[in-house]
Amino acid sequence: MVEAQTWTTRRMSNPRLHTLDTNDQLQLDIPQTPPSDQRNNGSNINNNNLVTTSLIIASWYFSNIGVLLLNKYLLSFYGYRYPIFLTMLHMLSCAAYSYAAINVVQFVPYQQIHSKKQFLKIFALSAIFCFSVVCGNTSLRYLPVSFNQAIGATTPFFTAIFAFLITCKKETAEVYLALLPVVLGIVVSTNSEPLFHLFGFLVCVGSTAGRALKSVVQGIILTSEAEKLHSMNLLLYMAPLAAMILLPVTLYIEGNVFAITIEKARSDPFIVFLLIGNATVAYLVNLTNFLVTKHTSALTLQVLGNAKAAVAAVVSVLIFRNPVTVMGMTGFGITTMGVVLYSEAKKRSKGASH
């Protein structure tokens, strides 16, 4: 009996051999299951965010493709052959809607221009912006939307050139190699485009180069923290300046376009709806660009931009029935693939530098 007690005492003194008695209680910190209403609320929030993001992306596609199709319809099919005046209406619309969004709705905080130097920088950007948009709209008079978008997809090529010429910025060999299919694809598309027009091609290339130049120059002249402007505030200042630049140009080149537009509106009031709708969608392009970046990321916007050109080309062919060739589609595909490779190469290059 004594030996049994001794053995038990030794057993209890060894923690590794200790066993739980029936009266012992095992304490575990098990988190409580949240009530069903909290689980449902969390699920509803995620679903609402998904729905909101999906609607914003759909709106982005609608506005970006819609403004292209409306411009093409007005300038080529409806017979309103005044691309400079149409661009000026876009700028006036962007100025009015931007003012309402920032100062009335207070969508984003209002930022002021702090110096004459900053104003001159914004004015320079406005001039480049005018050139790019006017050239792009003019090209739609002569080229189908599908070919216009194929040329526009070469923007990274011009961006790399201007970045090197202006800032002496060199990219990696992988980035430059990725630009080869971008150029090769547009060469293939150009040689096989049934509705090729030399002047339309040249102004479309000018528009693409202008868009690339604006992005490079903007990255240079608005780099300091004091001069950086939110994209919506930058549009608020650039749009009226662009309209002021375009006013004398449209009067000189396109003649008495105001009287012509009023006369057209009297004979066909539908043009008023077309012009107002077109100008409104032009502003929505800028607004949805900001919303997509806010609710997703700049990378998502870049991916959507890569896909937008192909979607716009397909939709335009279905609507306007412009002829396409297998080689033309192949060239467009090569260019689009090159843009994707370029984006991936740039991403890897930035990751390696950090």
Coordinates of all heavy atoms in Angstrom, one line a residue, residues 78-160:
Y78 N -23.0 61.4 -89.6 CA -24.0 62.5 -89.4 C -23.7 63.7 -90.3 O -24.6 64.4 -90.8 CB -24.1 62.9 -88.0 CG -25.3 63.9 -87.7 CD1 -26.6 63.4 -87.5 CD2 -25.1 65.2 -87.7 CE1 -27.6 64.2 -87.3 CE2 -26.1 66.1 -87.5 CZ -27.4 65.6 -87.3 OH -28.5 66.5 -87.1
G79 N -22.4 63.9 -90.6 CA -22.0 65.0 -91.4 C -21.6 66.2 -90.7 O -21.4 67.3 -91.3
Y80 N -21.4 66.2 -89.4 CA -20.9 67.3 -88.6 C -19.4 67.3 -88.6 O -18.8 66.8 -87.8 CB -21.5 67.2 -87.2 CG -21.3 68.5 -86.4 CD1 -22.1 69.6 -86.6 CD2 -20.3 68.6 -85.5 CE1 -22.0 70.8 -85.8 CE2 -20.1 69.8 -84.7 CZ -20.9 70.8 -84.9 OH -20.8 72.0 -84.2
R81 N -18.8 68.0 -89.6 CA -17.4 67.9 -89.9 C -16.6 69.0 -89.3 O -15.9 69.8 -90.0 CB -17.2 67.8 -91.4 CG -18.0 66.7 -92.1 CD -17.7 66.6 -93.5 NE -18.5 65.6 -94.2 CZ -18.3 64.2 -94.1 NH1 -17.3 63.8 -93.4 NH2 -19.1 63.4 -94.7
Y82 N -16.8 69.2 -88.0 CA -16.1 70.2 -87.3 C -15.4 69.7 -86.0 O -15.8 69.9 -84.9 CB -17.0 71.4 -86.9 CG -17.8 71.9 -88.1 CD1 -19.1 71.5 -88.3 CD2 -17.2 72.7 -89.0 CE1 -19.9 71.9 -89.4 CE2 -17.9 73.1 -90.2 CZ -19.2 72.7 -90.3 OH -19.9 73.2 -91.4
P83 N -14.3 68.9 -86.2 CA -13.7 68.3 -85.0 C -13.1 69.2 -84.0 O -13.1 68.9 -82.8 CB -12.6 67.4 -85.7 CG -12.3 68.1 -87.0 CD -13.6 68.6 -87.4
I84 N -12.6 70.4 -84.5 CA -12.0 71.4 -83.5 C -13.1 72.0 -82.6 O -12.9 72.0 -81.4 CB -11.2 72.5 -84.3 CG1 -10.1 71.8 -85.1 CG2 -10.6 73.4 -83.3 CD1 -9.4 72.9 -86.0
F85 N -14.2 72.3 -83.2 CA -15.3 72.9 -82.5 C -15.9 71.8 -81.5 O -16.2 72.1 -80.4 CB -16.4 73.4 -83.4 CG -17.6 74.0 -82.7 CD1 -17.5 75.3 -82.1 CD2 -18.8 73.3 -82.6 CE1 -18.6 75.8 -81.4 CE2 -19.9 73.9 -81.9 CZ -19.8 75.1 -81.3
L86 N -16.0 70.6 -82.0 CA -16.5 69.5 -81.2 C -15.5 69.3 -80.0 O -16.0 69.1 -78.8 CB -16.5 68.2 -82.0 CG -17.1 67.0 -81.3 CD1 -18.6 67.2 -80.9 CD2 -17.0 65.7 -82.1
T87 N -14.2 69.4 -80.2 CA -13.3 69.3 -79.1 C -13.5 70.4 -78.1 O -13.4 70.2 -76.9 CB -11.8 69.2 -79.6 OG1 -11.7 68.2 -80.6 CG2 -10.8 69.0 -78.5
M88 N -13.7 71.6 -78.6 CA -13.9 72.8 -77.7 C -15.2 72.6 -76.9 O -15.2 72.9 -75.7 CB -14.1 74.1 -78.5 CG -14.1 75.3 -77.7 SD -14.3 76.8 -78.6 CE -16.1 76.7 -78.9
L89 N -16.2 72.0 -77.4 CA -17.4 71.6 -76.6 C -17.1 70.6 -75.5 O -17.6 70.7 -74.4 CB -18.5 71.1 -77.5 CG -19.2 72.0 -78.5 CD1 -20.3 71.3 -79.3 CD2 -19.8 73.3 -77.8
H90 N -16.2 69.7 -75.8 CA -15.8 68.7 -74.8 C -15.1 69.5 -73.7 O -15.3 69.1 -72.5 CB -14.8 67.7 -75.4 CG -15.4 66.7 -76.4 ND1 -14.7 65.7 -77.0 CD2 -16.7 66.6 -76.8 CE1 -15.5 65.0 -77.8 NE2 -16.7 65.6 -77.6
M91 N -14.2 70.4 -74.0 CA -13.5 71.1 -73.0 C -14.4 72.0 -72.1 O -14.2 72.0 -70.9 CB -12.4 72.0 -73.6 CG -11.3 71.3 -74.4 SD -10.4 70.1 -73.4 CE -11.0 68.5 -74.0
L92 N -15.4 72.6 -72.8 CA -16.3 73.4 -72.0 C -17.2 72.6 -71.1 O -17.5 72.9 -69.9 CB -17.2 74.2 -72.9 CG -16.6 75.3 -73.8 CD1 -17.5 75.9 -74.8 CD2 -16.1 76.4 -72.8
S93 N -17.5 71.4 -71.6 CA -18.3 70.5 -70.7 C -17.5 70.0 -69.5 O -18.0 69.9 -68.4 CB -18.7 69.2 -71.6 OG -19.2 68.2 -70.8
C94 N -16.2 69.6 -69.8 CA -15.3 69.2 -68.7 C -15.1 70.3 -67.7 O -15.1 70.0 -66.5 CB -14.0 68.7 -69.3 SG -14.0 67.2 -70.2
A95 N -15.0 71.5 -68.1 CA -14.9 72.7 -67.2 C -16.1 72.8 -66.3 O -16.0 73.0 -65.1 CB -14.6 73.9 -68.0
A96 N -17.3 72.8 -66.9 CA -18.5 73.0 -66.2 C -18.8 71.9 -65.2 O -19.1 72.1 -64.0 CB -19.7 73.1 -67.2
Y97 N -18.6 70.6 -65.7 CA -18.9 69.5 -64.8 C -17.8 69.4 -63.7 O -18.1 69.0 -62.6 CB -18.9 68.2 -65.6 CG -20.2 67.9 -66.4 CD1 -20.2 67.8 -67.8 CD2 -21.4 67.8 -65.7 CE1 -21.3 67.6 -68.5 CE2 -22.6 67.6 -66.4 CZ -22.5 67.5 -67.8 OH -23.7 67.3 -68.5
S98 N -16.6 69.7 -64.0 CA -15.5 69.7 -63.0 C -15.8 70.7 -61.9 O -15.6 70.5 -60.7 CB -14.2 70.0 -63.6 OG -13.8 68.9 -64.5
Y99 N -16.2 71.9 -62.3 CA -16.6 73.0 -61.3 C -17.7 72.5 -60.4 O -17.6 72.6 -59.2 CB -17.0 74.2 -62.0 CG -17.3 75.4 -61.1 CD1 -16.4 76.2 -60.5 CD2 -18.7 75.6 -60.7 CE1 -16.7 77.2 -59.7 CE2 -19.0 76.6 -59.8 CZ -18.0 77.4 -59.3 OH -18.3 78.4 -58.4
A100 N -18.7 71.9 -61.0 CA -19.8 71.4 -60.2 C -19.4 70.2 -59.2 O -19.8 70.2 -58.1 CB -21.0 70.9 -61.1
A101 N -18.5 69.3 -59.8 CA -18.1 68.2 -59.0 C -17.2 68.6 -57.8 O -17.3 68.0 -56.7 CB -17.4 67.2 -59.8
I102 N -16.4 69.6 -58.0 CA -15.4 70.0 -56.9 C -16.0 71.1 -56.0 O -15.9 71.0 -54.8 CB -14.1 70.5 -57.6 CG1 -13.5 69.4 -58.3 CG2 -13.2 71.1 -56.5 CD1 -12.2 69.8 -59.1
N103 N -16.7 72.1 -56.6 CA -17.1 73.2 -55.7 C -18.5 73.1 -55.2 O -18.9 73.7 -54.2 CB -17.0 74.5 -56.6 CG -15.5 74.9 -56.8 OD1 -14.8 75.2 -56.0 ND2 -15.2 74.8 -58.1
V104 N -19.4 72.3 -55.9 CA -20.8 72.2 -55.5 C -20.9 70.8 -54.7 O -21.3 70.8 -53.6 CB -21.7 72.3 -56.7 CG1 -23.2 72.1 -56.2 CG2 -21.6 73.6 -57.4
V105 N -20.7 69.8 -55.4 CA -20.8 68.4 -54.8 C -19.7 68.1 -53.8 O -19.8 67.3 -52.9 CB -20.9 67.4 -55.9 CG1 -21.1 66.0 -55.3 CG2 -22.0 67.7 -56.9
Q106 N -18.5 68.8 -54.0 CA -17.3 68.6 -53.2 C -16.9 67.1 -53.3 O -16.6 66.5 -52.3 CB -17.6 69.0 -51.7 CG -17.8 70.5 -51.6 CD -18.0 71.0 -50.2 OE1 -18.2 70.1 -49.3 NE2 -18.0 72.3 -49.9
F107 N -16.8 66.7 -54.5 CA -16.4 65.3 -54.8 C -15.0 65.1 -54.3 O -14.6 64.0 -53.8 CB -16.5 65.0 -56.3 CG -16.6 63.6 -56.6 CD1 -17.7 62.8 -56.3 CD2 -15.5 63.0 -57.3 CE1 -17.7 61.5 -56.7 CE2 -15.5 61.7 -57.7 CZ -16.6 60.9 -57.3
V108 N -14.1 66.0 -54.6 CA -12.7 66.0 -54.1 C -12.4 67.4 -53.6 O -13.1 68.4 -53.9 CB -11.7 65.6 -55.2 CG1 -11.9 64.2 -55.7 CG2 -11.8 66.6 -56.4
P109 N -11.4 67.5 -52.7 CA -11.1 68.9 -52.1 C -10.6 69.8 -53.2 O -9.8 69.4 -54.2 CB -10.0 68.6 -51.1 CG -10.1 67.1 -50.8 CD -10.7 66.5 -52.0
Y110 N -10.9 71.1 -53.1 CA -10.5 72.1 -54.1 C -9.0 72.5 -53.9 O -8.7 72.7 -52.7 CB -11.4 73.3 -54.1 CG -10.9 74.4 -54.9 CD1 -11.0 74.4 -56.3 CD2 -10.5 75.6 -54.3 CE1 -10.6 75.4 -57.1 CE2 -10.1 76.7 -55.1 CZ -10.1 76.6 -56.5 OH -9.7 77.6 -57.2
Q111 N -8.2 72.5 -54.9 CA -6.8 73.0 -54.8 C -6.6 74.2 -55.7 O -7.1 74.3 -56.8 CB -5.9 71.8 -55.3 CG -5.9 70.6 -54.4 CD -5.1 69.5 -55.1 OE1 -5.5 68.9 -56.0 NE2 -3.9 69.3 -54.5
Q112 N -5.9 75.2 -55.1 CA -5.7 76.4 -55.8 C -4.3 76.4 -56.5 O -3.4 75.6 -56.1 CB -5.7 77.6 -54.8 CG -7.1 77.9 -54.3 CD -7.0 79.1 -53.4 OE1 -6.0 79.5 -52.8 NE2 -8.2 79.8 -53.2
I113 N -4.2 77.2 -57.5 CA -2.9 77.4 -58.2 C -2.1 78.5 -57.4 O -2.6 79.5 -57.1 CB -3.1 77.9 -59.6 CG1 -3.8 76.9 -60.5 CG2 -1.7 78.3 -60.3 CD1 -4.1 77.3 -61.9
H114 N -0.9 78.2 -57.0 CA -0.2 79.0 -56.0 C 0.8 80.0 -56.7 O 1.3 80.9 -56.0 CB 0.6 78.1 -55.1 CG -0.3 77.2 -54.2 ND1 -1.2 77.7 -53.3 CD2 -0.5 75.9 -54.3 CE1 -1.8 76.7 -52.7 NE2 -1.5 75.6 -53.3
S115 N 1.1 79.8 -58.0 CA 2.1 80.7 -58.5 C 1.9 80.8 -60.0 O 1.2 80.0 -60.7 CB 3.5 80.2 -58.3 OG 3.7 78.9 -58.9
K116 N 2.5 81.9 -60.6 CA 2.4 82.1 -62.0 C 3.1 81.0 -62.8 O 2.7 80.5 -63.9 CB 3.0 83.5 -62.4 CG 3.0 83.8 -63.9 CD 3.6 85.1 -64.1 CE 3.6 85.5 -65.6 NZ 4.2 86.8 -65.9
K117 N 4.2 80.5 -62.2 CA 5.0 79.4 -62.8 C 4.1 78.2 -62.9 O 4.2 77.5 -64.0 CB 6.2 79.2 -61.9 CG 7.1 78.1 -62.5 CD 8.3 77.9 -61.6 CE 9.2 76.8 -62.1 NZ 10.4 76.5 -61.2
Q118 N 3.4 77.8 -61.9 CA 2.5 76.7 -61.9 C 1.4 76.8 -63.0 O 1.1 75.9 -63.7 CB 1.9 76.4 -60.5 CG 1.1 75.1 -60.4 CD 0.4 75.0 -59.1 OE1 0.3 76.0 -58.3 NE2 0.0 73.8 -58.8
F119 N 0.9 78.1 -63.1 CA -0.1 78.3 -64.1 C 0.4 78.1 -65.5 O -0.2 77.5 -66.4 CB -0.6 79.8 -63.9 CG -1.6 80.2 -65.0 CD1 -2.9 79.8 -65.0 CD2 -1.1 81.0 -66.1 CE1 -3.7 80.2 -66.1 CE2 -1.9 81.4 -67.1 CZ -3.2 81.0 -67.1
L120 N 1.6 78.6 -65.8 CA 2.2 78.4 -67.1 C 2.5 77.0 -67.4 O 2.3 76.5 -68.6 CB 3.5 79.2 -67.2 CG 3.4 80.8 -67.1 CD1 4.8 81.4 -67.1 CD2 2.6 81.3 -68.3
K121 N 2.8 76.2 -66.4 CA 3.0 74.8 -66.6 C 1.7 74.1 -67.0 O 1.7 73.3 -67.9 CB 3.6 74.1 -65.4 CG 5.0 74.5 -65.0 CD 5.5 73.8 -63.8 CE 6.9 74.2 -63.4 NZ 7.4 73.5 -62.2
I122 N 0.6 74.5 -66.3 CA -0.7 73.9 -66.6 C -1.1 74.4 -68.0 O -1.7 73.6 -68.8 CB -1.7 74.3 -65.6 CG1 -1.3 73.7 -64.2 CG2 -3.1 73.9 -65.9 CD1 -2.2 74.1 -63.1
F123 N -0.8 75.6 -68.4 CA -1.1 76.1 -69.7 C -0.4 75.3 -70.8 O -1.0 75.0 -71.8 CB -0.8 77.6 -69.8 CG -1.2 78.2 -71.1 CD1 -2.5 78.7 -71.3 CD2 -0.3 78.3 -72.2 CE1 -2.9 79.3 -72.5 CE2 -0.7 78.9 -73.4 CZ -2.0 79.4 -73.5
A124 N 0.8 75.0 -70.5 CA 1.6 74.2 -71.5 C 1.0 72.8 -71.7 O 0.8 72.3 -72.8 CB 3.0 74.0 -71.1
L125 N 0.6 72.2 -70.6 CA -0.1 70.9 -70.6 C -1.4 71.0 -71.4 O -1.8 70.1 -72.2 CB -0.4 70.4 -69.2 CG 0.8 69.8 -68.4 CD1 0.3 69.3 -67.1 CD2 1.3 68.6 -69.2
S126 N -2.1 72.1 -71.2 CA -3.4 72.3 -71.9 C -3.2 72.4 -73.4 O -4.0 71.8 -74.2 CB -4.1 73.6 -71.4 OG -4.3 73.5 -70.0
A127 N -2.1 73.0 -73.8 CA -1.8 73.1 -75.3 C -1.6 71.7 -75.9 O -2.0 71.4 -77.0 CB -0.7 74.1 -75.5
I128 N -0.8 70.9 -75.2 CA -0.5 69.6 -75.6 C -1.7 68.7 -75.6 O -2.0 68.0 -76.6 CB 0.6 68.9 -74.7 CG1 1.9 69.7 -74.8 CG2 0.9 67.5 -75.2 CD1 2.9 69.2 -73.8
F129 N -2.6 68.9 -74.6 CA -3.8 68.2 -74.5 C -4.7 68.5 -75.7 O -5.4 67.7 -76.3 CB -4.5 68.6 -73.2 CG -5.7 67.8 -72.8 CD1 -5.8 66.5 -73.0 CD2 -6.8 68.5 -72.4 CE1 -6.9 65.8 -72.6 CE2 -8.0 67.8 -72.0 CZ -8.0 66.5 -72.2
C130 N -4.8 69.8 -76.0 CA -5.6 70.3 -77.2 C -5.2 69.6 -78.5 O -6.0 69.1 -79.2 CB -5.5 71.8 -77.4 SG -6.4 72.8 -76.2
F131 N -3.9 69.6 -78.7 CA -3.3 69.0 -79.9 C -3.7 67.6 -80.0 O -4.1 67.1 -81.1 CB -1.8 69.2 -79.9 CG -1.1 68.5 -81.0 CD1 -1.1 69.1 -82.3 CD2 -0.5 67.3 -80.8 CE1 -0.4 68.4 -83.3 CE2 0.2 66.6 -81.9 CZ 0.2 67.2 -83.1
S132 N -3.5 66.8 -78.9 CA -3.8 65.4 -78.9 C -5.2 65.1 -79.2 O -5.6 64.2 -80.0 CB -3.4 64.8 -77.6 OG -3.7 63.4 -77.5
V133 N -6.2 65.8 -78.5 CA -7.6 65.5 -78.6 C -8.1 65.9 -80.0 O -8.9 65.2 -80.6 CB -8.4 66.2 -77.5 CG1 -9.9 65.9 -77.7 CG2 -7.9 65.7 -76.2
V134 N -7.7 67.1 -80.5 CA -8.1 67.6 -81.8 C -7.6 66.6 -82.9 O -8.4 66.2 -83.8 CB -7.6 69.0 -82.1 CG1 -7.8 69.3 -83.6 CG2 -8.3 70.0 -81.2
C135 N -6.4 66.1 -82.8 CA -5.9 65.2 -83.8 C -6.7 63.9 -83.7 O -7.0 63.3 -84.8 CB -4.4 64.9 -83.6 SG -3.3 66.3 -84.1
G136 N -6.9 63.4 -82.5 CA -7.7 62.2 -82.4 C -9.1 62.3 -83.0 O -9.5 61.4 -83.7
N137 N -9.8 63.4 -82.7 CA -11.1 63.5 -83.2 C -11.1 63.7 -84.7 O -12.0 63.2 -85.5 CB -11.8 64.7 -82.6 CG -12.2 64.5 -81.1 OD1 -12.3 63.3 -80.7 ND2 -12.4 65.5 -80.4
T138 N -10.1 64.4 -85.2 CA -10.0 64.6 -86.7 C -9.7 63.3 -87.4 O -10.3 63.1 -88.5 CB -8.8 65.6 -87.0 OG1 -9.1 66.9 -86.3 CG2 -8.7 65.9 -88.5
S139 N -8.9 62.5 -86.8 CA -8.6 61.2 -87.5 C -9.9 60.3 -87.6 O -10.0 59.5 -88.6 CB -7.6 60.4 -86.6 OG -8.1 59.9 -85.4
L140 N -10.9 60.5 -86.7 CA -12.1 59.7 -86.8 C -12.9 60.1 -88.1 O -13.8 59.3 -88.4 CB -12.9 59.9 -85.6 CG -12.3 59.2 -84.3 CD1 -13.1 59.6 -83.1 CD2 -12.3 57.7 -84.5
R141 N -12.7 61.2 -88.6 CA -13.4 61.6 -89.9 C -12.9 60.7 -91.1 O -13.6 60.5 -92.0 CB -13.1 63.1 -90.3 CG -13.9 64.1 -89.6 CD -13.7 65.5 -90.2 NE -14.0 65.5 -91.6 CZ -13.9 66.5 -92.4 NH1 -13.3 67.7 -91.9 NH2 -14.2 66.5 -93.7
Y142 N -11.7 60.2 -91.0 CA -11.1 59.6 -92.1 C -10.8 58.1 -91.9 O -10.6 57.3 -92.8 CB -9.7 60.2 -92.5 CG -9.9 61.7 -92.7 CD1 -9.6 62.7 -91.7 CD2 -10.3 62.2 -93.9 CE1 -9.7 64.0 -92.0 CE2 -10.5 63.6 -94.2 CZ -10.2 64.5 -93.2 OH -10.3 65.8 -93.4
L143 N -10.7 57.7 -90.6 CA -10.3 56.3 -90.3 C -11.4 55.6 -89.5 O -12.1 56.2 -88.7 CB -9.0 56.3 -89.5 CG -7.8 56.9 -90.1 CD1 -6.6 56.8 -89.1 CD2 -7.4 56.2 -91.4
P144 N -11.6 54.3 -89.7 CA -12.5 53.5 -88.8 C -12.0 53.5 -87.4 O -10.8 53.6 -87.2 CB -12.5 52.1 -89.5 CG -11.2 52.0 -90.2 CD -10.9 53.4 -90.7
V145 N -12.9 53.3 -86.5 CA -12.5 53.3 -85.0 C -11.5 52.1 -84.8 O -10.6 52.3 -84.0 CB -13.8 53.1 -84.2 CG1 -13.4 52.9 -82.7 CG2 -14.7 54.3 -84.3
S146 N -11.7 51.0 -85.4 CA -10.8 49.9 -85.2 C -9.4 50.2 -85.5 O -8.5 49.9 -84.7 CB -11.3 48.7 -86.0 OG -11.4 49.0 -87.4
F147 N -9.1 50.9 -86.6 CA -7.8 51.2 -87.0 C -7.3 52.4 -86.1 O -6.1 52.4 -85.8 CB -7.7 51.6 -88.5 CG -6.3 51.8 -89.0 CD1 -5.3 50.9 -88.7 CD2 -6.0 52.9 -89.9 CE1 -4.0 51.1 -89.2 CE2 -4.8 53.1 -90.4 CZ -3.8 52.2 -90.0
N148 N -8.1 53.3 -85.8 CA -7.8 54.4 -84.8 C -7.3 53.8 -83.5 O -6.3 54.3 -83.0 CB -9.0 55.3 -84.6 CG -8.8 56.3 -83.6 OD1 -9.0 56.0 -82.4 ND2 -8.6 57.5 -83.9
Q149 N -8.0 52.8 -83.0 CA -7.6 52.2 -81.7 C -6.3 51.4 -81.9 O -5.5 51.3 -80.9 CB -8.7 51.3 -81.2 CG -9.9 52.1 -80.7 CD -9.6 53.0 -79.6 OE1 -9.4 52.6 -78.5 NE2 -9.5 54.3 -79.9
A150 N -6.1 50.8 -83.0 CA -4.8 50.1 -83.2 C -3.6 51.0 -83.2 O -2.6 50.7 -82.6 CB -4.9 49.3 -84.6
I151 N -3.8 52.2 -83.8 CA -2.7 53.2 -83.7 C -2.5 53.7 -82.3 O -1.4 53.9 -81.8 CB -3.0 54.3 -84.7 CG1 -3.1 53.8 -86.2 CG2 -1.9 55.4 -84.6 CD1 -3.6 54.8 -87.2
G152 N -3.7 54.0 -81.7 CA -3.6 54.5 -80.3 C -2.9 53.5 -79.3 O -2.4 54.0 -78.3
A153 N -2.9 52.2 -79.6 CA -2.3 51.3 -78.7 C -0.8 51.4 -78.7 O -0.1 50.8 -77.9 CB -2.7 49.8 -79.2
T154 N -0.2 52.2 -79.7 CA 1.2 52.3 -79.7 C 1.7 53.4 -78.8 O 2.9 53.8 -78.8 CB 1.7 52.6 -81.1 OG1 1.1 53.9 -81.6 CG2 1.3 51.5 -82.1
T155 N 0.9 53.9 -77.9 CA 1.2 55.0 -77.0 C 2.5 54.7 -76.2 O 3.4 55.5 -76.0 CB 0.1 55.3 -76.0 OG1 -1.1 55.7 -76.8 CG2 0.5 56.5 -75.1
P156 N 2.7 53.4 -75.6 CA 3.9 53.1 -74.9 C 5.2 53.3 -75.7 O 6.2 53.7 -75.1 CB 3.7 51.7 -74.5 CG 2.2 51.4 -74.5 CD 1.7 52.3 -75.6
F157 N 5.1 53.1 -77.0 CA 6.3 53.3 -77.9 C 6.7 54.8 -77.9 O 7.9 55.1 -77.7 CB 6.0 52.8 -79.3 CG 7.0 53.2 -80.3 CD1 8.2 52.5 -80.3 CD2 6.8 54.2 -81.2 CE1 9.2 52.8 -81.3 CE2 7.8 54.5 -82.1 CZ 9.0 53.9 -82.2
F158 N 5.7 55.7 -78.0 CA 6.1 57.1 -78.0 C 6.4 57.6 -76.6 O 7.3 58.5 -76.5 CB 4.9 57.9 -78.6 CG 4.6 57.7 -80.0 CD1 3.6 56.8 -80.5 CD2 5.4 58.3 -81.0 CE1 3.4 56.6 -81.8 CE2 5.2 58.1 -82.4 CZ 4.2 57.2 -82.8
T159 N 5.8 57.0 -75.6 CA 6.2 57.4 -74.3 C 7.6 57.1 -74.0 O 8.4 57.9 -73.4 CB 5.3 56.6 -73.2 OG1 3.9 56.9 -73.5 CG2 5.6 57.1 -71.8
A160 N 8.1 55.9 -74.4 CA 9.5 55.5 -74.2 C 10.4 56.4 -74.9 O 11.5 56.8 -74.4 CB 9.7 54.1 -74.6

